[in-house]
Amino acid sequence: MSAVASHADVLHHDDHGHHKETFISKYVFSMDHKMISKQFLITGIIMGTIGMLMSLVFRLQLAYPNTTFPIFETLLGEWGKGGKLDPNFYLALITIHGTIMVFFVLTAGLSGTFSNLLIPLQVGARDMASPFLNMLSYWFFFTSSCVMIASLFVQGGPASAGWTIYPPLSALPKAIPGSGTGMTLWLVSMILFIVSSLLGGINYVATVLNMRTKGMKMTRLPLTIWAFTFTAILGILSFPVLFGGSLLLVFDRSFGTSFYLNEIPADLAGGIERVGGSPILFQHLFWFLGHPEVYIILLPALGITSEVIATNSRKPIFGYRAMIGSIMAIALLSFVVWGHHMFITGMNPFLGSVFMLGTLIIAVPSAIKTFNYLGTLWKGNLRLNPQMMFAIGLVSFFISGGLTGIFLGNAALDINLHDTYFVVAHFHLVMGSAAIFGMLCGIYHWYPKMFGRTMNESLGQIHFWMTIVSAYCVFFPMHFMGLAGVPRRYYAFTAYDQFNVFVDMNIFITYAAFLGGIAQFIFLFNFFYSMRKGKKAVQNPWESNTLEWTTPVKHLHGNWPGEIPHVYRWPYDYSVPGHEIDFIPQNTPHEGQEDPLTEPQTIPTPERKVAPTLAKEEAVLFTLVKRWLGFA
Amino acid sequence: MANTATLTTDSKQTWGGGKSPFSVSYGKLMMWIFLLSDAFTFSSLLVAYGFVRFTFTSTLPNTIVKPFAHLSHSFVEDMNKAGLFVTERWPSPELVFNHFPFLHGIHLPLMFVSLMTFILIASSVTMVLAVEAGHRMAKKEVEKYMILTIIGGAAFLGCQAWEWTNFITEGASLSGNPFGPTAFAALFFIVTGFHGTHVLSGVILNIVIYINVVKGTYDKRGHYEMVEKVGLYWHFVDLVWVFVFTFFYLI
Ligand code: HEM
Ligand SMILES: [Cu+2]
């Protein structure tokens, strides 16, 4: 039966190729995964730019709480009266900044772009399993983005309860200005977003499982694909829970229920007294998505990094199977640690220790990944092009941000650190900066595949150095502010004497933030300029092994002009001893290999004396485990 | 180790690419993944139910009203006085859902919802038969069993509408509940409503598929896989009902 279906599918794609494509079907309602990927990327970049500009506005406020900026009045009108930022709008800005960055840029923008582009190309498929649902996924995302942006312009301003939209601020339309229409639009936007993410995720997983070309065993998949697949699985299993949580929130807001509300008098809550609910329920439902979400953001970036680091070190990735194992471990563990965001909500302390244990265990697979990156770089023949620089930058952030996670994961320490700038520093380094670096790394690396040209390298280097310097200067000092107790989400710290010592630091941070902002405009220029004027790309500009570089530079519907290539080896055959060129693409057979499924070159096991105490079977098992972990 | 060799060749053939490792089409695979995801949506709602439920004192067993007893007009007040319908205590479902159409005034605990459940499970049986007939390419039989399934689904929805109407006329709403905690009624409406929406979409899907069957679309296509796919969805909705039923009516 499946043979019938997939045969019909090939036919379907073939006769599609001869269709006349109109502008609309090619650029707007396209069902081609490569075009959809570009749509996700461009939308993500636009949202990212908006989110970044917002951060510059509130950085100015934090650095100069007592100064007036006439530009605020010009830009923001009502919200910047007399050149002073409205305190309510400050909260709105940080909320929408967080929402945009977390969901629109680093979830949809990152996964949407690279899963769409790379899954069919790297597993050897003509398109996604269902191109139609794929198109829908983009349009749900687009509508969701429009609703989120529209919420900026409604009465009362956009949602202001933080990106985590905790009740009661989010549940009582009268709580703060942003709790009204703005919050409603936020929820509408998020529900559209969840639909988009599910349509996309289901498609990605089905494609990877079902549509791999002959010879593309799971253990020959590039690590990008492993990462994207588990990202999709995380999304498929955790977004529905946010959906359920939001549904109940909608009922609390508009239909008089009290799931998340307790002891709220009737005149504050639309004429109905609210009793019996608990905001903690929302926090559980939110963080059941929220924590996997941070890995939905990070895993694709890590996958991209694996690919780029191996290619540009001209070395096989160190510990391929250990990398897969750690992706799986992270994915699994990320479902059982959400409580570390709730240590101080009054949760049962015993439960707190359970969540603490789980959280700290995540450090193990994270460390495996880090060491494997370093192991791959070690003595590599490094090509320090922009994508490689960004990949190394990611590793750096993963370490510096991951270490503070160990602090925060300790329930006792978190009593002090929760809701301070320490948390802001932690997640901006490990999630914000690391994932943005992964995304930029991917853009530089696959730009030739997407647009047929390469981006300017010198501008790329300038972009990298300015960005990494700025990121560390912005986020590193925040650790110290957090340790001193400076709380997050405050409009002006000058209200408290003890925080006045940080005024200078805040000014420094703001300067650094502007440096980063300028760097991103250099990137934007490079990105759009290279689309028309960049150097024409050759088919395989980075001398990489993966299948996407076997497709022609000019995009075809169906990806490969003739038959889909078969795969004969894993993707990391770089610098194979005794081989002239230092890379061997996956579709090159081994000498004498006819069946793609056979593995002719058995890894030679060195002659080793088996210790007499170790039974033979055990020794074999031990070698197998070692080899499986990638150490043989 | 001789047996490793055989093991690896075997797994190679399954996962080696060029075919589906589970020998299913991508469409069916996507339906499975969707259902997995939907299971989490329902779980989130049921977990919320559990969370809320445990903040209330547990149900008192009903020792007052016997099955088939006559229900007085002041039933709710009586129960309230007996401490069975009070705001701090979760009510016993068998006292809340004890009506049956046309048998007014008789205490029939959970009879009607058992009938509903039976109807839904029966419709799953007819769906299995439709799928099986599809494997044999027996168009007429597929038609017959699809229509039975559609009738079963519609009947379930009708029953649910009656149950809701009854509950609402007795005074329950999203923000009020004469039988005890407001959350009881609110959760009941939201969770059974969400399930009902699923059933409704299932019925609509079934009708679409039925029309295609009648038009001979799948005969021409050479297989009845679409029937199988909606079948998966239908069984899932059925399975979820078993959980909803257990949570809201039994415990
Ligand atoms: C070794 C690994 C990690 C550990 C032990 C860890 C631990 C924690 C803990 C305990 C918190 C809560 C702090 C508080 O609110 O008081 C936290 C917050 C956060 N973490 Fe991590 N984390 C780790 C890795 C990551 C990664 C990889 C990401 C993202 C990709 C991430 C993103 C976040 C975010 C966004 C928050 C803040 C959420 C908020 O309250 O708004 N973390 N982390
Ligand atoms: Cu977390």
Side-chain angles (χ1 to χ4, degrees), chain A residues 431-492:
Chain A
M431 171 169 82
S433 306
I436 288 275
F437 269 49
M439 187 167 171
L440 291 169
C441 160
I443 294 175
Y444 281 102
H445 190 76
W446 280 289
Y447 195 91
K449 192 74 262 159
M450 295 178 110
F451 300 102
R453 294 170 186 270
T454 30
M455 287 174 74
N456 182 303
E457 204 176 317
S458 316
L459 285 179
Q461 296 285 359
I462 297 174
H463 174 214
F464 167 76
W465 284 109
M466 283 172 71
T467 311
I468 193 164
V469 168
S470 137
Y472 269 119
C473 288
V474 169
F475 299 121
F476 210 77
M478 289 184 184
H479 291 108
F480 303 108
M481 295 170 60
L483 287 171
V486 179
R488 60 193 280 217
R489 295 175 178 162
Y490 273 42
Y491 170 69

Side-chain angles (χ1 to χ4, degrees), chain A residues 287 290-291 294 337-338 340-341:
Chain A
W287 285 112
H291 188 79
V294 306
V337 299
W338 78 89
H340 65 214
H341 297 272

Side-chain angles (χ1 to χ4, degrees), chain B residues 149-161:
Chain B
T149 311
I150 292 168
I151 292 173
F156 178 85
L157 285 173
C159 292
Q160 202 168 32

Side-chain angles (χ1 to χ4, degrees), chain A residues 400-417:
Chain A
S400 52
L403 285 176
T404 52
I406 302 177
F407 292 58
L408 292 170
N410 277 288
L413 287 178
D414 193 56
I415 294 172
N416 241 337
L417 296 174

